[in-house]
Amino acid sequence: MKSHRTTQTMKPATAAKKLGVYLPATPAEFQEGVVSRAELDELQANPPEWLRELRRNGPHPRPVVAAKLGVSIAGLARGGVTEPLTTEQIEALKNDSPEWLRKERATQAEARKEAARLKKRDAERAEQGDRRS
């Protein structure tokens, strides 16, 4: 019996998220269609000019803005940043370095440090458990 392979597709919002771009800034044909896994792979491997331009200059979705600023998405909200930002706006924020951004970067650094400590602790516990077996 032959298995029928169906083409896996996704909504444009899902594809935009995977590509790291802000959906409303993409071309209309991207927003209105569906994207197959093969098309997504092709977009990632050989991005067209519109995708390269969006990645370079934005507007960027919140996860990308947060990553570029070195803060969490919640930190962005606490800082009053709720809209997508362009690369230029992100650079201006970095240069201005407002108090909320310095505070959120410090919070994020502490969270990373704690996560690393817990990972090391868990690895040591797992190693000790292996020795006892």
Side-chain angles (χ1 to χ4, degrees):
M1 192 165 168
K2 241 184 195 181
S3 66
H4 296 288
R5 274 193 87 119
T6 58
T7 303
Q8 183 182 9
T9 61
M10 61 192 84
K11 294 177 183 175
T14 303
K17 187 174 183 176
K18 289 179 181 285
L19 292 169
V21 295
Y22 182 57
L23 180 62
T26 62
E29 59 269 12
F30 182 85
Q31 294 179 40
E32 294 164 2
V34 294
V35 180
S36 71
R37 171 58 66 187
E39 289 170 331
L40 179 68
D41 291 344
E42 179 62 24
L43 285 169
Q44 289 173 324
N46 301 304
E49 182 55 35
W50 66 264
L51 181 54
R52 288 194 303 269
E53 179 67 21
L54 273 178
R55 286 177 169 169
R56 186 172 35 253
N57 297 316
H60 303 288
R62 286 181 307 163
V64 174
V65 173
K68 287 179 179 274
L69 290 174
V71 300
S72 66
I73 294 172
L76 281 180
R78 286 189 293 269
V81 178
T82 57
E83 298 296 317
L85 299 179
T86 63
T87 300
E88 187 177 312
Q89 291 169 315
I90 292 168
E91 290 304 316
L93 262 176
K94 285 180 179 178
N95 291 336
D96 292 347
S97 194
E99 177 62 30
W100 72 265
L101 182 56
R102 290 193 301 274
K103 182 180 174 194
E104 291 300 333
R105 282 180 164 171
T107 300
Q108 190 73 359
E110 284 299 316
R112 283 192 200 108
K113 195 184 304 182
E114 179 65 6
R117 184 189 71 78
L118 292 174
K119 185 176 180 179
K120 181 180 177 188
R121 181 201 68 189
D122 293 346
E124 288 170 353
R125 286 181 178 173
E127 189 178 309
Q128 288 173 353
D130 288 347
R131 286 192 210 140
R132 290 184 189 140
S133 299

